[in-house]
Amino acid sequence: MPDDYRVAVLVSGTGTNLQAILDRVHADPDSNVSVVLVVASKDDVPALGRATAAGVETAVVGMGGRERAERDAELADVVAGARPDLVVLAGWMSIVTNVFLDRFPDRVINLHPSLLPAFPGMNSIEDAYEWGVRVTGVTVHFAEEHVDAGPPILQATTPVLYADSPDDLRAKVRELEHDLLPRAIRAFARGGVTRHSDNPRRIEVVEEDE
Ligand code: GAR
């Protein structure tokens, strides 16, 4: 097992995906992944309590009425202080610019609750439901300044049944997320994620049991 693989997680809300990372990789004695920092965009979010309960260092970097570039410079300094190998946007609901992303090339990933490029934006589960798609899912992708546009790393699907309510669909998507994001982090930690040399949008992912 290689040395500790250091992960910083950025959150804005409930933090159920942070909890999945804490439970399924950080707390797993067979994993070399350590969550070393959780940064929230607001100081009153439940995700911060989850981090504290797990003994993980926390920080809050809000917008504070300033330009995004200025916020992103501070955010990058705070995250860089934790020396992360990977930065995970897990329900981080604020656009990040290249001021932040350029400090961590190929090391920032985002979780999105749809099969991108379908249904980008803030209400993806509801949008997919209203559109009437028969299949939806979740995407873990490299973060780029253009929101929800970076190349997919892993995707997972679920059928949308006629009998499903919006809440049913939300629950299905959440369950997929809680599996997929830890899987992606494990793949990075074992050095299993590579961009294709000819087309950097094509990502090879090698997971443990392959
Ligand atoms: C998750 O469903 C995540 O995919 C979504 O926010 C939720 C956070 O839940 N992210 C986005 O929509 C990003 N565009 P959580 O706080 O319980 O992990």
Side-chain angles (χ1 to χ4, degrees), residues 11-18 47 50 90-93 110-113 121-122 124-125 147-148 173-174 177-178:
V11 294
S12 294
T14 317
T16 65
N17 284 286
L18 168 65
R50 297 178 189 269
W92 172 263
M93 295 302 195
N110 182 47
L111 172 68
H112 185 79
M122 299 295 279
S124 309
I125 301 173
V147 178
D148 300 333
V173 167
R174 229 13 102 77
E177 290 186 326
H178 295 168

Side-chain angles (χ1 to χ4, degrees), residues 67-156:
E67 294 291 319
R68 199 172 291 278
E70 196 183 325
R71 190 282 310 261
D72 281 3
E74 185 197 341
L75 183 61
D77 286 343
V78 168
V79 171
R83 295 179 289 107
D85 297 298
L86 186 70
V87 180
V88 179
L89 310 183
W92 172 263
M93 295 302 195
S94 178
I95 292 168
V96 285
T97 66
N98 284 338
V99 171
F100 179 80
L101 296 169
D102 288 350
R103 296 272 296 273
F104 310 98
D106 266 352
R107 282 190 289 148
V108 185
I109 64 173
N110 182 47
L111 172 68
H112 185 79
S114 75
L115 290 175
L116 290 172
F119 308 112
M122 299 295 279
N123 298 302
S124 309
I125 301 173
E126 293 74 13
D127 291 347
Y129 187 87
E130 291 303 327
W131 192 264
V133 293
R134 311 308 301 263
V135 176
T136 187
V138 307
T139 302
V140 176
H141 64 95
F142 279 109
E144 290 183 355
E145 192 171 61
H146 189 56
V147 178
D148 300 333
I153 298 162
L154 288 176
Q155 294 187 298

